[in-house]
Amino acid sequence: MSQLKFDLHCHSNVSDGLLPPEQVAARAHAHGVGVWALTDHDELGGVARARAAAQALGMHHVGGVEISVTWAGQTVHVVGLRVDETNPALIAGLAATRNGRERRAREIADELDKVGICGAYEGALQHVGNPDLISRTHFARHMVERGHCGDTKEVFANYLTEGKPGYVPHRWATLDEAVAWIRGAGGVAVIAHPGRYKYSPLQFGALFDQFKQLGGAAIEVTTGSHSPEQYEEYAQVARHYGFLASMGSDFHGPGESRVDLGELPPLSRGLTPVWHDWGF
Ligand code: AMP
Ligand code: MN
Ligand code: MN
Ligand code: MN
């Protein structure tokens, strides 16, 4: 088995990360990553820059994206790995998925205004690296800067999430669309951080079955968005459903993420890594 270190999930300021793609590449390389994918939310704008930076460092690179999906009323993230970032259907699909973000951001600001947090739209914009991709993370950073909360985790615990001030429901892509766009662009579809979703056991079963039927191939097992106990839990899920296993830090920026680039333990034995046939 490959001795290379894999980090197949992280973000740059082309979506809601803090660093530009070149600096994410340099940090991954400095942390010993051998095969790296930048997976910005609903955006491919950083992929060519990521590849160029990785090549200059002698690090393997695979094209990546993390697509926002609405399934059974909740948001699920589907990572695409080894996607061709020039694929027109994928590009158009992501553009459509991003489309409502601006209006949603204004609605989030209106909701925050009602609880006395004023000017949040303009404040969040100050943190945006890509005007097409204003995210809740940018609101969270603004609210930390203004002292409403101590860190972004605290913001999400008290605001911007279901039942809390500043929550605005949103309809993203469908699961069918996301998987079809990824596969159409030559990629592998991966359910990101399954441990984060609040589905019943029955719903989880239906999600995994449907994903598999659509041609989804993998789930993230070891991710910075899972607790170490969840690494084992989702290893069992991968074995049960016959999914390939992926791993990635989900790094967003220094001091903001539980796990830094390249810091995760390797996948447990008995799993087939998503990269098993990539030639590494
Ligand atoms: P959006 O795509 O605008 O809905 O924003 C989703 C992003 O918010 C995720 O990709 C995470 O980066 C961040 N996020 C969501 N929930 C949390 C949380 N509980 N703690 C920290 N960050 C979160
Ligand atoms: Mn994010
Ligand atoms: Mn995610
Ligand atoms: Mn992510």
Side-chain angles (χ1 to χ4, degrees):
M1 190 160 131
S2 174
Q3 293 303 306
L4 288 167
K5 202 185 260 189
F6 289 75
D7 194 325
L8 302 176
H9 186 151
C10 63
H11 300 274
S12 76
N13 65 359
V14 171
S15 65
D16 63 349
L18 285 169
L19 306 175
E22 294 77 11
Q23 285 182 36
V24 184
R27 193 175 178 103
H29 183 252
H31 288 208
V33 173
V35 184
W36 173 60
L38 178 71
T39 54
D40 274 314
H41 297 284
D42 307 323
E43 254 293 355
L44 294 161
V47 173
R49 290 167 62 187
R51 180 179 300 110
Q55 275 172 358
L57 292 159
M59 180 169 65
H60 296 288
H61 168 269
V62 302
V65 67
E66 180 174 20
I67 305 181
S68 310
V69 161
T70 302
W71 192 86
Q74 292 185 45
T75 300
V76 169
H77 286 169
V78 179
V79 163
L81 296 174
R82 290 186 109 196
V83 290
D84 168 10
E85 78 274 16
T86 68
N87 181 270
L90 176 61
I91 291 172
L94 295 178
T97 306
R98 287 194 302 270
N99 208 9
R101 277 187 181 268
E102 163 82 20
R103 182 154 40 103
R104 170 193 186 230
R106 292 185 186 277
E107 289 170 12
I108 289 174
D110 290 346
E111 292 302 310
L112 290 173
D113 197 72
K114 290 180 189 161
V115 296
I117 296 172
C118 313
Y121 176 75
E122 293 72 20
L125 268 190
Q126 298 294 311
H127 292 266
V128 163
N130 167 4
D132 280 354
L133 211 123
I134 181 161
S135 116
R136 285 183 293 161
T137 311
H138 302 114
F139 280 90
R141 290 185 187 135
H142 164 70
M143 289 165 70
V144 171
E145 186 180 68
R146 284 300 160 91
H148 296 291
C149 290
D151 59 24
T152 55
K153 242 192 155 38
E154 198 184 319
V155 177
F156 282 101
N158 294 290
Y159 300 93
L160 310 180
T161 48
E162 197 164 355
K164 303 288 160 63
Y167 176 68
V168 173
H170 195 74
R171 185 170 288 274
W172 303 106
T174 66
L175 188 64
D176 310 37
E177 286 171 334
V179 174
W181 296 336
I182 290 166
R183 298 185 75 211
V188 186
V190 184
I191 293 187
H193 42 62
R196 267 178 45 179
Y197 311 130
K198 310 248 177 306
Y199 292 124
S200 68
L202 212 64
Q203 285 178 309
F204 266 115
L207 171 67
F208 293 138
D209 283 339
Q210 190 187 338
F211 181 66
K212 191 149 199 192
Q213 231 163 40
L214 292 168
I219 63 169
E220 288 183 344
V221 169
T222 307
T223 142
S225 290
H226 281 171
S227 66
E229 297 73 51
Q230 287 175 320
Y231 302 164
E232 199 33 57
E233 185 182 343
Y234 287 95
Q236 284 176 30
V237 171
R239 285 186 209 107
H240 177 80
Y241 285 90
F243 284 129
L244 304 173
S246 190
M247 65 184 288
S249 57
D250 209 357
F251 177 78
H252 282 70
E256 221 179 71
S257 300
R258 187 177 72 79
V259 172
D260 211 318
L261 289 154
E263 265 190 352
L264 287 172
L267 288 175
S268 31
R269 283 187 303 193
L271 293 171
T272 308
V274 67
W275 58 83
H276 75 105
D277 57 354
W278 293 0
F280 293 116

